[in-house]
Structures are given as structure tokens and as C-alpha cells.
Amino acid sequence: MSYIRTVKYQPERLEVLSSISWTKAVLNVLKQHKHFFSDHACLRILRYRIGQHVAQQLPRVIREELFQHGCLVLRREIWSAIRDFHTPDMFVPFMYVFYNTDIKQLEVPTLIRVQDRHTVLDMLYNLGTPSGHEALSLKLKMFETHNTSVGESYVLKMALRGFRDLRSLTLWKACDDAMLQ
């Protein structure tokens, strides 16, 4: 029996390895503070301390790479229906701490809880209101069920108005038979 494995001839660069370990450490900090997400004071403090450090010390390209890598790590997390209905999705605090309007590509994963979807859309709206987002590609996979509330669709429309330079917009929305007719 043979197993085909990819071989890396070059080790990853030190800055890539350090950014991966730093992102994992920050995600562990966010997981420890998960019980405080209902009052946004804890998230504001984390955004101020971590987000300001990232914004001041790292160039935009590295910030975007860290954000994309963190999103990739969160997508690989094990999904649990029971856990995800009772606690906020980790993407919400991660995005709250790390997202800035200068990120060129944004992909929002499927969020189970209505509160999580509303928080992410509201944050996108509030950050994009003054000068808009610089994103060129936006993928929203937020809506897994067909029963999107009027409030969610309104906040989504308001948030999309802040994305002025989009070249690619993808909206995932589950449809029922009545919508497809």
C-alpha cells in the first residue's frame, strides 16, 4: 500500500511561522474571554489592545495575511450544533478585534445564531459608514436557512452600501421551494 504525500523542499519562512503561532495565541486569548462577549466592553478592550498593536506595528499586507490566516484557522474548527446555539461563534470576536476597512478580501462564514449575524453586519455597517471599505472581493455565507428576518436583510443592505470598490460579491442564501418558483 502506498501513500502519496506532498514534499516540501523549502521550509516555511520564519515570519510565516511566527505569524501562525501568534494568531493561534490570540485565538486562545479570545476563547478565554468568550463568556464576556455579551457585554461588548471586553471586546472593546481586546480590540484596543491587540488591534491597535497590530495596526501600529505591522504593515497592511502582513495585517491582511494574519486576518486571512485567522479566518482559515476558524473555518477548520470543529462545528458543534449544541455548542454553537448557546455560545457566540469565534468568528465574531475575531472579526471584531482584527477587521479593518483596508482588508481587500473578506469571507464571512456561515453563522448559526441570529445575534452573531446581526453583530457582524452591524459592525460592517458601522466601520464602513465614514469612508467605506476597500474590499475588492466579498463573500457572505451567513444565511444557511431561508427564513431571513426583515431586520437582517435591512442591515445587510446597509452594510453592503459601505463596500464601494467591490469587483466580486457572492451571497450565499438557502432557498426554499417557494423562493425558487
Side-chain angles (χ1 to χ4, degrees):
M1 186 188 311
S2 75
Y3 295 96
I4 300 175
R5 295 185 183 138
T6 59
V7 177
K8 286 188 175 182
Y9 294 112
Q10 296 258 347
E12 293 195 43
R13 298 184 320 211
L14 181 61
E15 62 190 23
V16 173
L17 293 174
S18 64
S19 67
I20 290 170
S21 64
W22 187 80
T23 304
K24 288 180 181 178
V26 169
L27 287 174
N28 286 333
V29 168
L30 290 175
K31 285 178 185 177
Q32 291 173 357
H33 291 275
K34 202 168 188 177
H35 58 284
F36 293 117
F37 293 164
S38 60
D39 84 10
H40 292 279
C42 183
L43 282 178
R44 280 189 220 115
I45 292 169
L46 288 172
R47 180 176 173 91
Y48 177 74
R49 289 189 180 168
I50 298 172
Q52 293 295 345
H53 175 73
V54 169
Q56 292 172 356
Q57 302 297 326
L58 298 174
R60 187 194 62 77
V61 176
I62 301 296
R63 282 194 314 253
E64 186 166 351
E65 187 176 315
L66 283 174
F67 181 78
Q68 298 300 338
H69 183 267
C71 290
L72 181 67
V73 168
L74 288 174
R75 268 186 247 131
R76 291 181 183 166
E77 241 185 28
I78 298 173
W79 184 81
S80 166
I82 296 170
R83 180 192 70 215
D84 288 341
F85 279 116
H86 296 294
T87 61
D89 194 294
M90 276 302 297
F91 181 78
V92 177
F94 178 77
M95 186 167 173
Y96 193 89
V97 171
F98 282 106
Y99 181 75
N100 288 317
T101 57
D102 62 350
I103 290 181
K104 299 289 184 192
Q105 179 182 355
L106 177 62
E107 182 174 340
V108 180
T110 303
L111 300 173
I112 304 299
R113 298 177 57 214
V114 175
Q115 298 92 340
D116 293 342
R117 292 192 300 258
H118 189 68
T119 302
V120 167
L121 291 173
D122 193 42
M123 187 186 70
L124 288 174
Y125 170 68
N126 289 332
L127 288 175
T129 299
S131 60
H133 300 272
E134 294 180 20
L136 300 175
S137 174
L138 175 65
K139 294 180 183 180
L140 293 173
K141 298 181 180 181
M142 299 176 71
F143 308 107
E144 196 171 71
T145 60
H146 66 278
N147 54 356
T148 305
S149 69
V150 175
E152 280 181 301
S153 64
Y154 176 74
V155 175
L156 175 64
K157 290 174 190 174
M158 295 298 290
L160 287 177
R161 289 182 185 153
F163 291 93
R164 299 176 184 149
D165 300 328
L166 278 181
R167 292 192 181 138
S168 171
L169 172 64
T170 307
L171 296 173
W172 270 269
K173 184 175 185 295
C175 299
D176 59 354
D177 291 336
M179 291 178 82
L180 294 174
Q181 292 179 357

